[in-house]
Amino acid sequence: QVQVVESGGGLVQAGGSLRLSCTASGLTFDDYAMAWFRQAPGKEREGVSCISWSGGSTRYANSVKGRFTISRDNAKNTMYLQMNSLKPEDTAMYYCAAGPLFTLSANLFNYWGQGTQVTVSS
């Protein structure tokens, strides 16, 4: 059974940093591209960043480019999202997803976590 679990969310002041982690089990981790999505109340889900199977390629939403860094450690079946210079508009539930393609199209991801809340105060 595949399980995807996020951690690392919390409350931080604007300008601060957080590091999210996502650990997947029950699958061959390096067979999957991974991605972070987020959804704020009343807003559509947004693709934040994705990373290829080996970690050699990454992609970011314009809203986070230069502030967020995605990475993965295939030996630990874990993906990370380092978030710096956080803004109140980054407040959302952040979800980790695993899928066969290197993409930010949410409907192409097979496995999803339950989410971790990130709240940025002004």
Side-chain angles (χ1 to χ4, degrees), residues 29-30 32-34 51-55 71-74 78-79:
F29 189 70
D30 55 6
Y32 288 84
M34 301 293 294
I51 188 166
S52 62
W53 310 264
S54 66
S71 61
R72 64 189 293 166
D73 184 340
N74 286 347
T78 301
M79 174 181 66

Side-chain angles (χ1 to χ4, degrees), residues 13-28:
Q13 288 189 331
S17 298
L18 281 175
R19 188 175 84 152
L20 305 184
S21 298
C22 168
T23 300
S25 59
L27 50 72
T28 303

Side-chain angles (χ1 to χ4, degrees), residues 47-97:
V48 175
S49 183
C50 58
I51 188 166
S52 62
W53 310 264
S54 66
S57 297
T58 58
R59 188 177 298 165
Y60 297 92
N62 287 336
S63 57
V64 306
K65 203 170 291 183
R67 300 188 297 121
F68 291 10
T69 302
I70 192 170
S71 61
R72 64 189 293 166
D73 184 340
N74 286 347
K76 295 182 178 179
N77 281 19
T78 301
M79 174 181 66
Y80 306 96
L81 186 68
Q82 178 66 44
M83 306 186 294
N84 299 329
S85 302
L86 282 160
K87 304 175 181 180
E89 51 264 43
D90 294 317
T91 295
M93 186 71 78
Y94 283 70
Y95 297 92
C96 168

